Structure formats: structure tokens, C-alpha cells
Amino acid sequence: MIDKIRSADRRRVSLLTSVGDRWGALPKWQKAIGVVALLVFVYHLPYLGKLPGGLMIPGLNNLRTDSIEGGNNWAGVLFICAIYVLVAIGLNVVVGLAGLLDLGYIGFFAIGAYSVALFGSVNSPVVKWIQQEFNLPPTWAVTWGICLLLAIVLTMISGVLLGWPTLRLRGDYLAIVTLGFGEIIRIVARNATGVTNGPVGISAIPGPEGPPSADNKVFGLIDAKPWYWLAITFVLLMVILVRRLEHSRVGRAWLAVREDEDAAAVMGVYPFKFKLWAFAMGAALGGLSGFLFGSRNAFIDPTQFNANLSILFVAMVVVGGSGNMIGVSLGAVLLAYLPERFRDFADYRWLVFGLAMVLVMILRPQGLIPSRRRARELKDRAAEAEEAPAHV
């Protein structure tokens, strides 16, 4: 059985390689048409399987989460998929490019969500305190756009503050420290009742049109399509940014540190500085995703930011293919979409998830769509492991 699965996986890899080679051989104008077609498809996804006259396309309609009994809103699930893709891209900078195991990424996600809640909601203790101190009207709060900048700045600062004393650690030690950071953020949010409202949470979190209201014509609480389009736009912008960073001097330094930190230091790369860069950039993307999550939900509380979600974030990167943005994006979509589509198996969700992780690690340790560099590394290590007994 295992041999058959491995054989099928080899055929899949061969097919993907062939498609990639053919894509690379296309002229630029054909690639441009392909990219535009892909963008049209991505933005059209909320209407998947639906025709303008209200007719359904059976094959495509069955992919929608609202095609099953008790299924969630399709556009809302797409929004969560886009948020998770943004998370996976940010975590891929830390784990995939810089080689740092971060198990507390949920902390940055929570800081981003609480940034818009604490400064943008009229129900926030922070906003109420500012209103009293400066004699402002009860409807005053920081605008959504300013909260966006605050979320990015605050999460970058938190990434630097976390990384400065801890990035001298490696491997499991760093993982434990980051896991503790994520739990610290959740516990502080739960216990700091005078700042975060504690377990009660914060409501009336604003969106681009302001606080939740029946007057909001685009970004309301019912129609999730505009929120999905907003999130996917941020995803595309961050993909461009991270891609340029990956191919810059900073990105090459990250890869050097990931492959061999000591050798990178000997060659003139200062590992600590570039690892701190990776933590700051990854934290900013995590904060941005949390910011969008809080804005869309219009309510957050500490229970939404638990360690299980942080482990899920890491699983997205590992399953999809560490170091490859397409791979981690696929992993994020699968882990966000499949549980919603197959809600009939909700009682066995974690069992199936665990079995799938074990199979992937056994059959495809480099992930579903790994980076070519990462795949070569694992192949070389496997060859070294096979040759080791011969030299003993």
C-alpha cells in the first residue's frame, strides 16, 4: 500500500515538474495572460458554481461549503482561507526562509487583532480612557486605516522584542520560547480586564466603513464577499513584497542562515541581524492577518487565540512545502477548507488531521509542493543517511 502511494506521489511530482518546465518556456505575453486569468478566477471564487440566472453548475457547486446541510457561508470560508494564506506566507518567512521554528505565531496574530480592537472600537477601555482624558465625543475612535498601520508597527516591535533576547537560541529551545510567547499574549489578554475587557472581549470593532452598522453598504457583517476581495488583495500585495525580499540580499542571507548558520557567519553574514529581520517581517504579516480577522468578526476574545491554532499555522507551512509560497498557500487553503467542506466528519476531524500529517511526513517530508532548494537538501540528507553505515 505504501509503495503504491509513493508511486502515485512520484507521478504527481513528475507532472508538476513538467507543468513548471512548460510554464517557464512560455513567452512573457503568454505568461501575462495566464496570470491575468488566474487573478480573474481567484476574484471570481465567491460565485463558484453559480450562473447569473441563478442556475447551479453541479460539479463546481458541490465544492462550495454551503452546498451541504449546515455548511458555512462560502464567501466567509474563502475569507478565512485568504487569512490563513496570509498567515502561512508570513510564517514561511520565519520557518521556510530563515529556518527558525516559531510555535508562537498566534501571538502576533492576536496582537494584530487587538490593535484594531483596542484603538478602533468605542467599546474598548483604551478608547474610553482617551475620550475621558481629552474630552472627546463618545463616538470617537482611531480610524481603521490608522489602526492598520498601528497593527503592523506594534507587531514588528513585538517581533523585535521577542527575537532580541531569544534568537541566540536554536532548534527546540527557540520553539519552546516562542510557544511560551503565544501563551503569554493570550493570558495577558484574558487577565488584563482594564485594557482588553478580559474574557468578555471587545465588540464593535470597525471595518473600512467604520463600526458595524446597517448603514455600511460594502463591508457589512452579512455579505463576506467584499471582505474576501479585500483580504485576497492584501495577500497578492504581500506575495509580491515577500518574493522581492526572497530574491534580494536579505533573502539570500536568510537562506544561508537556514542552511548553515556557522558557515554563513564565516562568510560574512551576521546571522542574528538577519534572523531578527525575519522575525520582524513575519510578525508584521501575522499582525496584518490578525487585523483583518478582527475587523471582519467585529468581536474578539482571548479564546480565539489558543495554542492549537498556532500549531495549525506551522502545519500549513510544513504540509504545503516549507520555503515555497505556492506550497504554503496550498497547505493553508487545504487546512482551512477541508474541515468546513466535510463537516459530516467533524467528530473525527483531529483524528483525520493527525493521520494526514503522519502520512505526509512519511511519504512527503518536504511538503506537497516544496521549494527546489529544500527538496535537494532533503534528498542529499537521505543519501548521506543511506551511505553512513558503509563508512562505519
Side-chain angles (χ1 to χ4, degrees), residues 300-321:
I300 59 171
D301 66 79
T303 61
Q304 296 173 332
F305 310 104
N306 54 58
N308 288 341
L309 191 57
S310 194
I311 300 300
L312 183 66
F313 289 164
V314 177
M316 295 175 186
V317 176
V318 174
V319 170

Side-chain angles (χ1 to χ4, degrees), residues 116 142-152 206-210 234 291 295:
V116 64
V142 179
T143 60
W144 187 81
I146 300 299
C147 288
L148 171 61
L149 297 177
L150 281 174
I152 294 174
E209 292 182 280
F234 274 110
F291 170 86
S295 297

Side-chain angles (χ1 to χ4, degrees), residues 73-379:
N73 178 268
W74 172 234
V77 173
L78 286 177
F79 172 78
I80 295 298
C81 289
I83 291 297
Y84 281 10
V85 168
L86 192 57
V87 168
I89 291 172
L91 190 55
N92 185 56
V93 172
V94 180
V95 177
L97 298 183
L100 307 171
L101 184 54
D102 186 353
L103 297 181
Y105 201 70
I106 190 65
F108 303 124
F109 188 79
I111 291 173
Y114 270 100
S115 296
V116 64
L118 292 178
F119 297 99
S121 171
V122 293
N123 294 333
S124 162
V126 174
V127 169
K128 290 179 179 179
W129 177 82
I130 295 174
Q131 291 171 355
Q132 294 175 357
E133 286 294 316
F134 297 95
N135 196 25
L136 297 171
T139 57
W140 179 90
V142 179
T143 60
W144 187 81
I146 300 299
C147 288
L148 171 61
L149 297 177
L150 281 174
I152 294 174
V153 171
L154 289 177
T155 48
M156 288 189 75
I157 292 174
S158 64
V160 171
L161 292 178
L162 172 64
W164 190 270
T166 62
L167 284 177
R168 293 175 177 83
L169 302 174
R170 299 186 187 181
D172 299 339
Y173 302 100
L174 179 62
I176 295 300
V177 170
T178 55
L179 181 62
F181 166 75
E183 282 298 284
I184 288 171
I185 297 298
R186 183 183 64 83
I187 293 171
V188 169
R190 185 187 64 190
N191 294 335
T193 54
V195 178
T196 64
N197 273 345
V200 177
I202 300 176
S203 59
I205 299 175
E209 292 182 280
S213 170
D215 297 331
N216 293 348
K217 297 180 180 179
V218 180
F219 294 97
L221 294 177
I222 298 177
D223 188 7
K225 291 192 292 294
W227 288 100
Y228 165 70
W229 290 325
L230 177 66
I232 205 65
T233 300
F234 274 110
V235 168
L236 294 174
L237 291 175
M238 293 305 107
V239 164
I240 295 173
L241 172 63
V242 174
R243 178 66 68 185
R244 291 183 65 86
L245 269 176
E246 184 180 354
H247 294 285
S248 68
R249 178 177 176 271
V250 174
R252 292 192 293 271
W254 285 339
L255 294 177
V257 170
R258 185 194 71 187
E259 293 177 10
D260 193 324
E261 185 174 331
D262 295 327
V266 171
M267 296 301 294
V269 175
Y270 186 35
F272 178 77
K273 179 180 75 172
F274 288 102
K275 288 195 292 186
L276 201 60
W277 260 103
F279 246 60
M281 291 301 303
L285 291 173
L288 176 59
S289 56
F291 170 86
L292 293 173
F293 174 81
S295 297
R296 167 68 181 102
N297 285 6
F299 170 80
I300 59 171
D301 66 79
T303 61
Q304 296 173 332
F305 310 104
N306 54 58
N308 288 341
L309 191 57
S310 194
I311 300 300
L312 183 66
F313 289 164
V314 177
M316 295 175 186
V317 176
V318 174
V319 170
S322 179
N324 187 337
M325 276 200 290
I326 296 177
V328 300
S329 299
L330 175 63
V333 170
L334 289 177
L335 294 183
Y337 166 76
L338 292 179
E340 294 294 337
R341 177 59 183 82
F342 299 101
R343 295 183 69 86
D344 295 338
F345 304 97
D347 294 339
Y348 306 97
R349 179 180 302 181
W350 289 107
L351 174 62
V352 174
F353 176 74
L355 291 175
M357 286 290 293
V358 170
L359 287 175
V360 169
M361 291 302 97
I362 293 175
L363 303 174
R364 193 72 179 165
Q366 65 269 47
L368 297 176
I369 308 179
S371 67
R372 295 185 177 182
R373 183 190 297 268
R374 182 64 174 162
R376 287 196 299 268
E377 290 175 7
L378 291 174
K379 186 176 180 180

